[in-house]
């Protein structure tokens, strides 16, 4: 149920960010995206390196109301970031799931579900708005699919330590 609640939260975020993003002027958007990506990725790197035990083993003890609320908040904020900016979203989701008590392998699997939902939402809203470059999008989707296919197998085979190292 945690993944279901987080998925709904990610879906709502996906719709919200499109209403902010679509009318924005491209020059402002480029500057905002560049600054936020660098700041977010540096902050996450510092956070992960300062919490050596994060995601190494599962400490998840089950659903609680507190965890559902925390998870929904994580999914919403990260979902908005994903639609508005994008790079690093998978890493942020993995960290959020690890903070809820999942090990990195399970966190990475759950993160894929939320990332898919927020990307699908953005895709549908961009199609609706007539702002999709299909040739680029399909090429990138194929690359993402191939990377996810082989990456997930490697993560399962090598475990949480490997996922942490790659992050």
């Amino acid at each position: 149920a945690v993944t279901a609640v987080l998925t709904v939260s990610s879906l709502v975020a996906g719709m919200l960010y499109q209403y902010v993003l679509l009318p924005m002027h491209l020059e402002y958007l480029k500057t905002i995206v560049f600054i936020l990506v660098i700041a977010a990725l540096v902050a996450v790197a510092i956070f992960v390196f300062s919490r050596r035990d994060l995601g190494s083993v599962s400490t998840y003890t089950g659903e609680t109301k507190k965890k559902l609320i925390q998870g929904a908040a994580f999914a919403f904020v990260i979902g908005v970031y994903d639609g508005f900016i994008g790079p690093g979203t998978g890493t942020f989701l993995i960290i959020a799931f690890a903070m809820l008590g999942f090990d990195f392998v399970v966190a990475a699997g759950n993160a894929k579900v939320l990332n898919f939902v927020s990307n699908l939402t953005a895709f549908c809203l961009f199609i609706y708005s007539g702002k999709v470059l299909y040739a680029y999008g399909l090429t990138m989707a194929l690359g993402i699919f191939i990377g996810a296919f082989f990456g997930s197998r490697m993560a399962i085979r090598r475990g949480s330590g490997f996922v942490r190292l790659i992050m």
Side-chain angles (χ1 to χ4, degrees):
V2 171
T3 304
V5 168
L6 274 63
T7 300
V8 170
S9 185
S10 187
L11 177 67
V12 171
M15 289 186 275
L16 175 68
Y17 64 65
Q18 290 302 311
Y19 290 107
V20 173
L21 176 68
L22 288 173
M24 191 172 286
H25 190 272
L26 186 59
E27 290 306 312
Y28 295 128
L29 187 60
K30 286 180 183 178
T31 303
I32 291 169
V33 167
F34 178 75
I35 291 169
L36 288 176
V37 166
I38 299 301
L41 293 176
V42 167
V44 165
I46 291 168
F47 180 78
V48 169
F49 285 121
S50 69
R51 302 222 18 218
R52 296 271 181 211
D53 61 334
L54 182 69
S56 58
V57 296
S58 179
T59 59
Y60 185 73
T61 56
E63 290 175 25
T64 64
K65 187 175 181 178
K66 181 180 177 182
K67 284 186 182 182
L68 287 174
I69 291 169
Q70 286 174 330
F74 286 146
F76 184 81
V77 170
I78 295 169
V80 169
Y81 173 89
D82 186 25
F84 190 65
I85 298 167
T89 298
T91 301
F92 302 149
L93 288 169
I94 291 170
I95 290 169
F97 275 108
M99 290 174 67
L100 293 173
F102 295 97
D103 66 65
F104 275 138
V105 172
V106 174
N110 286 329
K112 294 296 178 198
V113 173
L114 269 65
N115 208 352
F116 174 75
V117 168
S118 106
N119 288 333
L120 183 62
T121 303
F123 180 62
C124 291
L125 290 170
F126 275 124
I127 287 174
Y128 179 75
S129 301
K131 300 189 184 254
V132 175
L133 301 173
Y134 289 96
Y136 293 115
L138 291 172
T139 303
M140 291 171 57
L142 178 63
I144 290 167
F145 175 77
I146 291 168
F149 179 82
F150 290 108
S152 62
R153 278 154 181 70
M154 191 176 299
I156 290 168
R157 194 170 46 247
R158 295 197 177 177
S160 292
F162 176 73
V163 175
R164 181 184 180 82
L165 177 67
I166 295 300
M167 275 187 16

